[in-house]
Amino acid sequence: MNQISVIGAGLMGSQIALCAAFAGFKVHLYDVDEQRLQTSQQQLAKQMANYIKRGLFSQEQFDQANDNLILETSLSTAVEHADLVIEAIVEDLALKRNLFQQLDELAPPHAILATNSSMIVSSMLASSTTRPDQVCNIHFFNPVFLMAVVEVVKGAHTSNETAQAAVDFVTRIHKTPLLLQKEITGFIANRILTKVMEEAMFLLEEGVATVEEIDLACTKALNHPIGPFALMDLTGLDTAYAIQKTQFELEEDAKAPSPLLKEKLAHGQLGRKTGQGFYTYQ
Ligand code: NAI
């Protein structure tokens, strides 16, 4: 496996692409929105400057990784030589199914098609391709460079070879693969996380405690590295909403997204990326 294509240059796709480029893969990064491709570069440079300052990486490593990263404005060029395609577009089942159908037509027959979706199991996407045995979930966590674990989910349709290749890829980018042998919406971490977020939202809506107090309970009483509201701001409240909505649509006993979250979206408050979410950012 040498050539990786990442589809979607948003928060996750841009970091996944650079992370693979750091490990020496040739990476083609595509987004339907050309402007987004450019801004993703600026955001990555800012993030890397911070990591370099903290001594996590050297400028030379970043420069080398950048040489391995090619920005693409055509989907067919982006995937024509891919060994592995990682989809990281918005959390929307219909859009993802449509994209997987295109990827099936455009990527080489041997290429593995993986999704970084937070909730959607790959069988829901594999059925829009002619290669379901080469489809799986490879689910990263944000911030990609700092989070050590990546979930790989093997559906009943996924071949052992595909699952092994996905695990090998994760190992080659210096992450610990967590292989799930069975599909389940939200996999492991997000199933647990959505319960925490649901309860945090309930406590806030009931007026039991403030955003700051609930986050403090999680960070200082439960020793979580970040509170649920600060984490939603980091994820992006639009993405957090889309994730909760997807889970609600896919799971019988899941809760609908909180009206409070909807209200924030209506006011354009998307978290860190807009400077305002549950917290205010400079
Ligand atoms: P984002 O909103 O930052 O980026 C999504 C990108 O997809 C945008 O740049 C958009 O222009 C692009 N896009 C939309 N439709 C497209 C298409 N048809 N072809 C190509 N590009 C297209 O979203 P984010 O946060 O990067 O999430 C992406 C995926 O990763 C979602 O499925 C999400 O559930 C998942 N995820 C998100 C995490 C997070 O913390 N934000 C963590 C782990 C997974």
Side-chain angles (χ1 to χ4, degrees):
M1 196 181 279
N2 292 311
Q3 297 239 11
I4 312 294
S5 302
V6 179
I7 313 302
L11 180 69
M12 292 305 289
S14 55
Q15 293 183 79
I16 294 167
L18 188 61
C19 187
F22 254 84
F25 289 100
K26 280 273 171 244
V27 185
H28 297 254
L29 176 62
Y30 167 82
D31 199 289
V32 74
D33 178 351
E34 278 186 39
Q35 182 61 38
R36 195 66 194 255
L37 268 180
Q38 304 308 327
T39 49
S40 78
Q41 288 310 95
Q42 291 155 14
Q43 274 157 8
L44 284 177
K46 206 165 139 195
Q47 192 178 11
M48 279 302 132
N50 178 21
Y51 291 163
I52 290 165
K53 209 162 104 190
R54 287 161 61 183
L56 297 177
F57 303 107
S58 67
Q59 182 65 46
E60 200 185 2
Q61 279 175 308
F62 178 41
D63 293 343
Q64 269 172 11
N66 255 335
D67 288 345
N68 288 336
L69 184 61
I70 303 136
L71 303 185
E72 301 280 5
T73 53
S74 145
L75 182 60
S76 59
T77 316
V79 301
E80 65 185 344
H81 300 300
D83 300 311
L84 167 66
V85 182
I86 302 174
E87 168 275 310
I89 70 166
V90 281
E91 188 78 341
D92 180 309
L93 179 58
L95 285 183
K96 285 187 195 281
R97 277 186 64 82
N98 183 280
L99 177 65
F100 267 69
Q101 195 180 345
Q102 290 181 65
L103 293 175
D104 190 37
E105 284 159 17
L106 298 171
H110 73 275
I112 291 173
L113 309 181
T115 176
N116 180 53
S117 170
S118 301
M119 282 289 158
I120 300 166
V121 290
S122 75
S123 55
M124 303 187 85
L125 307 173
S127 55
S128 63
T129 76
T130 57
R131 57 179 100 182
D133 56 318
Q134 289 163 232
V135 177
C136 67
N137 293 81
I138 301 182
H139 178 231
F140 290 81
F141 295 91
N142 183 39
V144 173
F145 281 90
L146 303 184
M147 305 304 274
V149 165
V150 175
E151 291 172 325
V152 173
V153 188
K154 181 182 181 298
H157 56 283
T158 313
S159 70
N160 290 335
E161 290 74 20
T162 298
Q164 188 56 52
V167 162
D168 290 346
F169 165 72
V170 170
T171 309
R172 277 179 65 186
I173 59 167
H174 313 295
K175 303 278 180 206
T176 304
L178 189 56
L179 176 64
L180 280 75
Q181 295 285 352
K182 194 176 170 184
E183 282 194 341
I184 184 159
T185 304
F187 331 122
I188 299 176
N190 278 347
R191 288 189 75 84
I192 297 169
L193 184 62
T194 47
K195 295 291 175 213
V196 173
M197 285 180 173
E198 250 173 55
E199 200 55 44
M201 206 62 97
F202 170 75
L203 291 169
L204 181 66
E205 283 167 352
E206 288 296 305
V208 175
T210 63
V211 162
E212 289 79 2
E213 287 163 345
I214 298 165
D215 273 0
L216 191 68
C218 289
T219 53
K220 298 298 177 199
L222 302 176
N223 223 6
H224 292 184
I226 185 169
F229 293 106
L231 182 55
M232 277 188 269
D233 276 357
L234 185 66
T235 300
L237 298 191
D238 49 346
T239 303
Y241 177 80
I243 293 169
Q244 289 178 23
K245 186 165 165 282
T246 306
Q247 190 181 28
F248 179 61
E249 285 162 1
L250 298 179
E251 292 232 307
E252 242 175 55
D253 58 349
K255 272 196 171 170
S258 147
L260 193 64
L261 205 48
K262 247 185 181 166
E263 202 184 301
K264 295 239 169 245
L265 298 194
H267 287 99
Q269 298 176 358
L270 307 184
R272 278 177 182 260
K273 59 183 154 190
T274 58
Q276 180 67 50
F278 288 104
Y279 294 90
T280 303
Y281 302 88
Q282 296 305 323

